[in-house]
Amino acid sequence: DLPCTINNWATGGAYKESGLRDFNTSTGASYSAHKFGGGIDLKIGDLTSVQMAQIIIENYEDVFKELGVTRIEDPEYTRGKNRDWLHIDVLYTGENKLQIIKP
């Protein structure tokens, strides 16, 4: 079992906008899934964004599709930024498959 963190600022951590974001924040895109309550940035144990994405892709049909996950951010697109989190969201895409997005 690995711990999963979204936001942890209330307990002294550094993450404040990895879940729901205020519409007036300068963090992220203007119409980010976070601002509509449909996006999170996962941090799971010591897994990298590449490892988290692979788990979701490999288990999409059996687990994550049922959970409503529709999109994940392409970790290869941001690999050089030492990412320890992965954006996932549940925004309606009109498709019945996982989309891998490049912000």
Side-chain angles (χ1 to χ4, degrees):
D1 293 339
L2 295 172
C4 178
T5 302
I6 307 301
N7 288 331
N8 61 4
W9 61 272
T11 57
Y15 299 108
K16 186 172 183 175
E17 293 188 306
S18 294
L20 181 62
R21 292 181 186 157
D22 187 282
F23 271 97
N24 296 319
T25 185
S26 61
T27 302
S30 298
Y31 294 100
S32 164
H34 292 272
K35 294 180 179 183
F36 295 94
I40 59 174
D41 297 330
L42 289 176
K43 292 158 288 291
I44 300 176
D46 60 357
L47 297 179
T48 67
S49 58
V50 173
Q51 291 169 318
M52 287 184 273
Q54 193 61 39
I55 290 168
I56 292 171
I57 292 166
E58 289 174 358
N59 296 283
Y60 183 71
E61 290 296 324
D62 296 331
V63 178
F64 293 94
K65 188 175 188 178
E66 284 291 318
L67 294 174
V69 175
T70 56
R71 305 185 316 164
I72 64 172
E73 186 175 63
D74 184 347
E76 295 294 333
Y77 183 73
T78 54
R79 178 180 275 228
K81 298 180 182 177
N82 295 322
R83 299 278 292 276
D84 62 350
W85 53 270
L86 178 72
H87 172 86
I88 69 171
D89 66 53
V90 296
L91 292 186
Y92 178 73
T93 64
E95 297 184 23
N96 197 22
K97 65 179 185 174
L98 181 65
Q99 289 185 352
I100 301 174
I101 58 173
K102 297 180 181 183

